[in-house]
Amino acid sequence: MKLSRRQKIQLVCGILPLLLCVAAAVHYLAAGGTFSVEAVLNYTPERPVLAAATLVLLYAVKSLSVVFPLVVLEIAGGYLFPPLAALGVNCIGLAVCTTIPYCVGRVSGAALVGQLEERYPRLKEFMGRQRSSSLFLPFFLRIVGCLPGDVISLYFGATGTTYWRYLVGSLLGLLPDMAAVTVMGATITDPTSPAFLGAFGLTILFSASSALIYALYRRRKRKAEADNASG
């Protein structure tokens, strides 16, 4: 089948980030070994601009790999930069991390939707509400953490959700935990300090709150289904 010019451009835009990320991953693994905060710090250049660019590139690699813990990059950002700069770099990193799988999903199109829903049945719970609430749903899914982040990104890309709505919703959902972890990175050399302990406590609180929110959502959904069945 002959591709149109627009389809060719979309295909290149979808493949190019993947190739860049694979190249970066190969270079990193060849240079380093384990993916830890110490390894990231050793790998990152001393110049702030290059350090920020390297960290954002690692976020891009993370977007296509489940073996790279996001928290490692957030802690490294907090350690490497002053607080406001760290939040900015980590926020840009999260934007990149959520954009690349979205673009891959957008290029893949509707065929990917069925595959994701078959593998992750929970996605079907939100399918009916997506068009009317395309900003809230990415926010909600990031907050509750009931699905892998890359799956969420691929899904919203494949279903054609407006990019800025998806991105804003995703960042708002990821921001609270990222901010707390960034503070942990900034104070990691003094783990007994009030700032570190407070940030660590917030991460625990966010995790517990996410689980509670999702549990309440499931309970409400089951109650609604039972009421509809009885009615």
Side-chain angles (χ1 to χ4, degrees), residues 74-228:
E74 294 171 345
I75 289 177
Y79 182 85
L80 286 168
F81 307 102
L84 289 179
L87 289 172
V89 171
N90 279 341
C91 192
I92 293 172
L94 288 178
V96 170
C97 188
T98 54
T99 293
I100 292 177
Y102 171 91
C103 292
V104 173
R106 195 64 180 261
V107 172
S108 300
L112 183 61
V113 176
Q115 297 175 17
L116 290 175
E117 289 184 344
E118 182 178 354
R119 185 171 181 182
Y120 301 94
R122 289 178 180 175
L123 284 172
K124 294 182 179 180
E125 298 178 18
F126 310 101
M127 183 65 178
R129 302 183 183 182
Q130 182 190 347
R131 294 185 180 277
S132 60
S133 186
S134 56
L135 191 150
F136 174 75
L137 277 178
F139 168 79
F140 178 76
L141 290 175
R142 302 291 185 184
I143 282 288
V144 299
C146 60
L147 290 164
D150 57 338
V151 172
I152 295 172
S153 301
L154 287 168
Y155 177 75
F156 282 106
T159 52
T161 302
T162 304
Y163 173 69
W164 74 265
R165 289 180 177 272
Y166 156 79
L167 182 63
V168 171
S170 293
L171 291 181
L172 288 176
L174 293 169
L175 185 59
D177 190 66
M178 181 273 282
V181 174
T182 301
V183 173
M184 288 175 59
T187 57
I188 198 170
T189 55
D190 187 9
T192 60
S193 66
F196 182 90
L197 294 176
F200 180 74
L202 283 175
T203 62
I204 301 299
L205 178 62
F206 291 148
S207 297
S209 299
S210 297
L212 178 60
I213 291 171
Y214 186 65
L216 292 174
Y217 167 80
R218 293 287 298 168
R219 180 180 178 182
R220 181 179 179 182
K221 186 174 184 297
R222 285 195 297 268
K223 185 177 184 301
E225 291 174 348
D227 291 343
N228 290 335

Side-chain angles (χ1 to χ4, degrees), residues 21 24-44 51 53-77 80 90 93 97 181:
C21 290
V26 171
H27 180 58
Y28 171 76
L29 293 175
T34 59
F35 192 79
S36 62
V37 175
E38 183 179 3
V40 172
L41 296 178
N42 290 335
Y43 180 70
T44 305
T54 300
L55 193 62
V56 170
L57 181 59
L58 289 175
Y59 270 102
V61 174
K62 162 66 186 102
S63 70
L64 296 171
S65 172
V66 296
V67 299
F68 285 11
L70 191 62
V71 66
V72 169
L73 299 176
E74 294 171 345
I75 289 177
L80 286 168
N90 279 341
C97 188
V181 174

